[in-house]
């Protein structure tokens, strides 16, 4: 396009200049540069965000989470710079979303991938140093023949400690502080009655913190081999010492009573020559073993294969049945010859109006084998195991999901049908095409252009439809002989929950590996589905 002949208007006056000679612009009237009410609001919001960041940095440093501390420091600098710099102002809308994306999406995905390659779970929750300390504590036994120390329970700022008399001197210690002599303490009859800076707990306070006191372990000295002071009655303390000793140079644990030596293995545990492992262990990288365990462990491979197949069947049939019923009802009530269509349409979307998890709970009661409405009323007192038989439970899940899902498909198809030009359908009818031919060759292809992406998203939703399975059957009936509590109606996502939280032994690494498999499967199916959708658009 040519600009010849276009008259350019020249402003009568140049932009005003600042005292320094620089021209003022729109940026100078922003909240970053003017002392307006908006500036002070922004100042308060940024101050709160910075304060929260500083608190998080100090907390992360205290627990030595250097990665979290570095991220919070970077976020603090970015927030302050973006909202108080002229160059950074264009990013003021982008920064909050970017930070939440990093925390709730990328970090979660990265951490899940990291956990999937470790043995993180019950018995392997922390570092090796923590595991060594915990093993030594768990194997402490009272030293035979050791003295009994009259004990006083004291408290300082919420920290419970013990006060005893050792070699005629009053000493005080807590879980993190070994017994240390104190000056100014009052001793009466060989028992400490008062300690400067500490509060002696009375009987009521001791009774209220009984578990904390019984589990308290006060090191006898700074040398771990000297053992610790413990009590069972809050009146007398006894010397406890671990039956195991840790040799840091040899990296081994030795049982002093039997002489058995435990050495670390590749799974993060101290193991004796006969295969006995000490607990707890520690977190180590295990490679792809979590990914292969589902296929190589004979106790899991069979149920996992059934769950994998059932997940695809459940997601596919859920989409197919709900779409078929929704489309049928949409076509039926799209016919102008049907009277009262608005009333019927309103009634049909009622199941969609109730929360799905509540409807699942209602159906769970209705399908109860002994007292359910279906058996007692509709089937005249029959004893059909709707939720306790593997096959019937799967049928029940599909039927309930059909009840919950067809209103959505009905609404989608109703809208899509009304967007199809009626003159095309009318022309086909005038050319002599039968209703079935019109539906198969014209209505359905045109309809699929609109609803195909929604069917793909519906498949992905049902692939991870955790709430229905959890509320209706809980995954049951359960498989027998498996190390985790999984059942015939479990899908992959509910299986992940069972592995991570639902079973007695929590295995976060294994659950993360299954989560990654789900992500890959859903991603591939979605990619393939959207490629097929492009084909439909070319019709």
């Amino acid at each position: 396009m040519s600009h010849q002949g276009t008259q350019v208007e020249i402003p009568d006056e140049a932009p005003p200049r600042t005292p320094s000679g620089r021209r003022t612009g729109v940026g100078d009237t922003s909240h970053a540069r003017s002392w307006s009410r908006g500036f002070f609001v922004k100042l308060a919001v940024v101050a709160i965000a910075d304060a929260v960041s500083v608190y998080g940095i100090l907390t992360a440093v205290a627990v030595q989470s250097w990665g979290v501390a570095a991220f919070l420091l970077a976020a603090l600098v970015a927030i302050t710079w973006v909202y108080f710099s002229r160059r950074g102002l264009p990013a003021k809308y982008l920064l909050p979303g970017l930070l939440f994306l990093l925390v709730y999406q990328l970090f979660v995905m990265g951490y899940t991938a990291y956990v999937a390659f470790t043995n993180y779970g019950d018995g392997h929750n922390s570092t090796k140093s923590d595991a060594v300390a915990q093993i030594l504590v768990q194997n402490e036994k009272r030293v035979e023949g050791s003295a009994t120390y009259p004990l006083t329970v004291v408290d300082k700022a919420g920290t419970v400690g013990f006060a005893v008399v050792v070699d005629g001197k009053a000493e005080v210690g807590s879980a993190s502080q070994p017994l240390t002599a104190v000056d100014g303490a009052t001793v009466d009859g060989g028992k400490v009655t008062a300690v400067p800076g500490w509060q002696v707990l009375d009987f009521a306070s001791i009774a209220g913190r009984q578990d904390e006191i019984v589990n308290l372990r006060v090191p006898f000295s700074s040398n771990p081999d000297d053992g610790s002071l413990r009590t069972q009655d809050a009146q007398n303390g006894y010397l406890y010492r671990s039956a195991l000793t840790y040799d840091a140079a040899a990296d081994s644990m030795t049982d002093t009573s039997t002489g058995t030596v435990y050495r670390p293995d590749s799974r993060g545990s101290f193991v004796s020559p006969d295969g006995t492992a000490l607990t707890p262990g520690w977190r180590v990288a295990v490679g792809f073993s979590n990914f292969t365990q589902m296929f190589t462990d004979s106790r899991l491979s069979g149920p996992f294969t059934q769950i994998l197949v059932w997940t695809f069947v459940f997601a596919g049939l859920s989409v197919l049945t709900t779409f078929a019923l929704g489309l049928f009802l949409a076509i039926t009530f799209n016919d102008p010859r049907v009277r009262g269509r608005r009333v019927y349409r309103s009634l049909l979307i009622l199941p969609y109006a109730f929360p799905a998890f509540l409807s699942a709970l209602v159906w769970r009661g209705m399908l109860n084998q002994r007292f359910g409405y279906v058996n007692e009323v509709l089937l005249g007192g029959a004893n059909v195991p709707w939720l306790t038989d593997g096959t019937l439970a799967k049928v029940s899940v599909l039927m309930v999901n059909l009840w919950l899902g067809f209103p959505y498909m009905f609404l989608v198809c109703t809208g899509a049908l009304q967007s199809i030009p009626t003159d095309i359908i009318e022309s086909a009818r005038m050319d002599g095409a039968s209703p079935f031919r019109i539906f198969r060759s014209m209505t359905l292809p045109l309809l699929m252009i609109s609803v195909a992406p929604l069917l793909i998203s519906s498949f992905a939703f049902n692939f991870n439809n955790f709430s229905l399975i959890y509320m209706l059957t809980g995954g049951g009936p359960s498989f027998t002989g498996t190390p985790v509590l999984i059942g015939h109606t479990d899908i992959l996502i509910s299986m992940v929950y069972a592995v991570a939280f639902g079973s007695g032994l929590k295995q976060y690494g294994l659950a993360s590996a299954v989560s990654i498999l789900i992500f890959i499967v859903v991603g591939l199916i979605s990619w393939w589905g959207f490629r097929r959708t492009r084909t439909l658009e070319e019709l």
Side-chain angles (χ1 to χ4, degrees), residues 189-469:
K191 186 174 183 179
V192 178
T193 56
V195 181
W198 292 81
Q199 177 187 359
V200 177
L201 296 184
D202 56 16
F203 178 77
S205 300
I206 292 174
R209 305 171 70 173
Q210 182 177 2
D211 292 340
E212 184 180 1
I213 294 171
V214 171
N215 293 324
L216 179 61
R217 173 182 175 273
V218 177
F220 211 78
S221 69
S222 57
N223 185 1
D225 294 335
D226 290 341
S228 61
L229 191 68
R230 307 181 70 169
T231 184
Q232 297 296 324
D233 56 5
Q235 297 293 327
N236 298 293
Y238 305 98
L239 178 62
Y240 280 70
R241 192 170 293 156
S242 178
L244 298 172
T245 58
Y246 177 65
D247 187 347
D251 194 16
S252 63
M253 196 76 72
T254 304
D255 190 327
T256 56
S257 59
T258 63
T260 305
V261 179
Y262 297 83
R263 300 188 184 282
D265 67 353
S266 59
R267 302 289 300 182
S269 297
F270 283 106
V271 182
S272 66
D274 63 356
T276 304
L278 297 176
T279 56
W282 58 93
R283 196 186 313 174
V284 295
V286 294
F288 288 91
S289 64
N290 287 325
F291 293 90
T292 60
Q293 184 179 354
M294 288 293 177
F295 305 97
T296 57
D297 190 336
S298 58
R299 300 171 301 170
L300 284 174
S301 58
F304 174 73
T305 303
Q306 293 186 45
I307 290 174
L308 180 63
V309 173
W310 162 241
T311 302
F312 280 97
V313 171
F314 168 71
L317 288 180
S318 294
V319 175
L320 181 63
T321 55
T322 55
F323 176 69
L325 182 58
L327 177 60
F328 171 76
L329 295 174
I331 293 176
T332 301
F333 294 109
N334 196 47
D335 193 323
R337 293 172 296 180
V338 178
R339 295 183 178 179
R341 289 182 297 166
R342 293 183 179 178
V343 176
Y344 291 130
R345 285 171 176 171
S346 301
L347 293 176
L348 287 175
I349 65 173
L350 280 180
Y352 193 54
F354 291 101
F357 68 95
L358 287 180
S359 298
L361 283 177
V362 171
W363 275 104
R364 183 173 186 168
M366 294 174 64
L367 294 173
N368 185 276
Q369 183 175 350
R370 296 182 58 188
F371 311 108
Y373 181 84
V374 175
N375 279 349
E376 287 294 316
V377 179
L378 299 182
L379 301 181
N383 191 28
V384 182
W386 294 106
L387 302 178
T388 54
D389 178 80
T391 303
L392 286 177
K394 292 178 179 177
V395 174
S396 301
V397 168
L398 289 173
M399 295 303 294
V400 172
N401 204 32
L402 175 61
W403 162 264
L404 294 173
F406 86 86
Y408 170 74
M409 293 297 181
F410 170 70
L411 292 174
V412 169
C413 293
T414 299
L417 284 174
Q418 294 177 354
S419 66
I420 297 176
T422 56
D423 54 344
I424 299 178
I425 305 299
E426 190 63 29
S427 299
R429 187 177 293 113
M430 293 178 65
D431 290 340
S434 64
F436 179 74
R437 179 63 184 274
I438 294 175
F439 171 78
R440 183 172 63 85
S441 301
M442 302 187 69
T443 304
L444 186 60
L446 292 174
L447 188 75
M448 291 301 293
I449 296 175
S450 302
V451 303
L454 299 177
L455 296 181
I456 296 171
S457 63
S458 179
F459 182 89
F461 170 79
N462 283 290
F463 203 86
N464 293 313
N465 196 345
F466 171 80
S467 60
L468 174 65
I469 302 299

Side-chain angles (χ1 to χ4, degrees), residues 92 126 218-219 232 320 488 530:
K92 63 181 180 182
S126 190
V218 177
Q232 297 296 324
L320 181 63
H488 289 269
F530 282 112

Side-chain angles (χ1 to χ4, degrees), residues 51-118:
V52 173
S53 299
V54 170
Y55 176 78
I57 291 172
L58 296 177
T59 305
V61 170
V63 297
Q64 299 183 350
S65 295
W66 306 116
V68 176
F71 171 78
L72 292 176
L73 179 61
L76 186 150
V77 173
I79 291 173
T80 307
W81 180 76
V82 165
Y83 288 98
F84 290 101
S85 169
R86 179 186 295 178
R87 294 183 178 180
L89 275 180
K92 63 181 180 182
Y93 298 113
L94 178 64
L95 183 62
L98 183 62
L99 291 178
F100 283 115
L101 175 67
L102 290 174
V103 174
Y104 293 107
Q105 292 290 333
L106 299 183
F107 172 75
V108 172
M109 293 172 61
Y111 192 73
T112 301
Y114 160 72
V115 172
F117 289 93
T118 68

